[in-house]
Amino acid sequence: MTTTTSHTPPESEGHPEGAVDEGGRNARLIHHDTTDIPAHLLYRDGPDPVNPAAPLPPAVVPARQGTGEQPRAEGAESVRRRPLPQPDPKLVERPAPVLPGAFGMLAGMAGIAAGLATSWWAGVLPPGVVHALRLPVSPRAGLGAAQWAAYAGAWILGLIGFGGLGRGRDGRAWVLGLFGGYRGTVRRTGLFWVNPLLQRRPADVRLRHWRSEAVPAADPEGLPLRVVVLVVWRVRDTARALLGVGDHEAYLRACVEGALARVPVEPAAEGGVSAAGDALTRLVAEDAAPAGLEVFSVQPVRAEYAPEVAAAMRRGRIARLDARQRAGMLSAVVDAVEDTVTRLSARGLVELDDYERKALVRDLTVAFCSGRGEPA
């Protein structure tokens, strides 16, 4: 079957979309006896001249001979994890407005002093206190509107001064909020003063480790496992950890369980635990980052098969060990028999025909196996 390509005649160069050949057919098609094939489909790397905005068709990679590999589309995307939702960009840790604790102490002491002065002014201060403080004679103005207003001011001043005091410690932080909004984080140590109307939530920012319970997992063959992991982590962004998720510790546990569901763990393979730990650390760190958590290490410390398959795996392991031991014993017996027969023949101690050689080999094999505690 012959395929011919028609070239665009000179008179149709000014009309690329309506170009026709001598037979009246479209010049942008390769004409075949059965169908017309668009010529631009032969050049995958170039855009469609008719519709340049159209996406390129995926190239099909043929199967390699003798491998059983199926043809695949080179441009087809593999199944990927959906990106995690990013937290509110406004919900990022920032320093809170804070004053030294001496400011609050002075304000509180001023409130107490104002209250005592108002009581002396109203004449309700006990005489013993007046004498102890060496105050002049009270005017005894009584409890009028002015005195009650002075009492209210002194009470408010003392409440603002003492109510805003806080104490910071190393490894601890305070997350401040007002009317449901985030106002900042206090990481300083010692006595400090903040607005007493702010809600204060403590946050532990120390380096912490968590040893999990037995978490369901699977080995590379898909057999169920029970894995105990050790996680080293800390709170990096207090705003996201306390306000971005309901419970950041429960969120971390869920991230570990999700990573174990995706990463196979080899409980007995040499080097398997290390490789699994690296993959688990990477996945958990990526999942926990939007919640303001910094994960340093996720290492399996114990991996056991589930009870329903543990007995079968134990029997299989024992069978493999027994087969390996028998194979090693058989190799040692064969080498010993061969060496014995060769040395006897080389030194001329015995002259054996085929029948006698076979009998000697059988007897030596039985003797050596019996000496190793194995039945012949």
Side-chain angles (χ1 to χ4, degrees), residues 113-364:
L116 291 174
T118 303
S119 298
W120 172 82
W121 179 28
V124 297
L125 197 65
V129 177
V130 175
H131 180 73
L133 297 177
R134 297 181 180 182
L135 297 176
V137 179
S138 172
R140 298 184 181 276
L143 292 175
Q147 287 75 18
W148 285 115
Y151 270 127
W155 182 81
I156 292 174
L157 183 61
L159 182 62
I160 291 176
F162 290 124
L165 290 176
R167 183 170 65 94
R169 293 181 294 172
D170 291 326
R172 303 283 182 173
W174 293 95
V175 178
L176 308 182
L178 180 63
F179 305 125
Y182 174 63
R183 291 296 180 267
T185 299
V186 179
R187 285 183 177 259
R188 65 183 299 172
T189 59
L191 199 63
F192 61 88
W193 183 90
V194 295
N195 185 350
L197 297 179
L198 294 175
Q199 180 187 8
R200 286 174 275 186
R201 299 180 60 181
D204 190 346
V205 295
R206 296 174 295 180
L207 187 65
R208 304 163 67 183
H209 72 277
W210 168 59
R211 185 185 179 96
S212 71
E213 301 293 335
V215 183
D219 67 356
E221 297 180 358
L223 297 177
L225 291 173
R226 308 291 292 179
V227 180
V228 177
V229 297
L230 182 65
V231 184
V232 181
W233 65 286
R234 71 176 178 184
V235 173
R236 180 177 53 84
D237 191 311
T238 56
R240 293 182 179 181
L242 271 68
L243 305 177
V245 293
D247 186 347
H248 60 277
E249 295 184 2
Y251 181 83
L252 179 63
R253 290 194 294 268
C255 291
V256 172
E257 294 178 0
L260 284 172
R262 300 193 297 268
V263 177
V265 179
E266 300 180 15
E270 185 176 356
V273 172
S274 174
D278 295 340
L280 288 173
T281 301
R282 185 182 69 256
L283 289 178
V284 175
E286 292 177 357
D287 293 345
L293 306 180
E294 187 174 8
V295 179
F296 298 97
S297 175
V298 181
Q299 296 295 333
V301 295
R302 191 179 69 213
E304 299 177 350
Y305 283 99
E308 56 269 19
V309 298
M313 294 299 298
R314 190 178 301 109
R315 289 194 298 268
R317 189 179 301 110
I318 293 175
R320 288 192 296 270
L321 291 175
D322 184 66
R324 191 180 302 114
Q325 182 180 3
R326 287 178 178 272
M329 184 272 297
L330 183 59
S331 298
V333 168
V334 170
D335 293 341
V337 171
E338 182 182 6
D339 182 64
T340 302
V341 174
T342 302
R343 294 175 66 181
L344 289 174
S345 301
R347 295 184 180 183
L349 299 178
V350 293
E351 294 183 1
L352 304 173
D353 56 12
D354 292 341
Y355 177 78
E356 293 173 342
R357 184 183 297 274
K358 292 179 181 178
L360 179 59
V361 169
R362 182 180 67 251
D363 295 339
L364 289 175

Side-chain angles (χ1 to χ4, degrees), residues 18-39:
V20 296
D21 59 4
E22 298 176 355
R25 295 179 295 182
N26 193 339
R28 289 190 173 274
L29 299 179
I30 293 180
H31 303 291
H32 196 270
D33 293 345
T34 58
T35 184
D36 294 332
I37 303 175

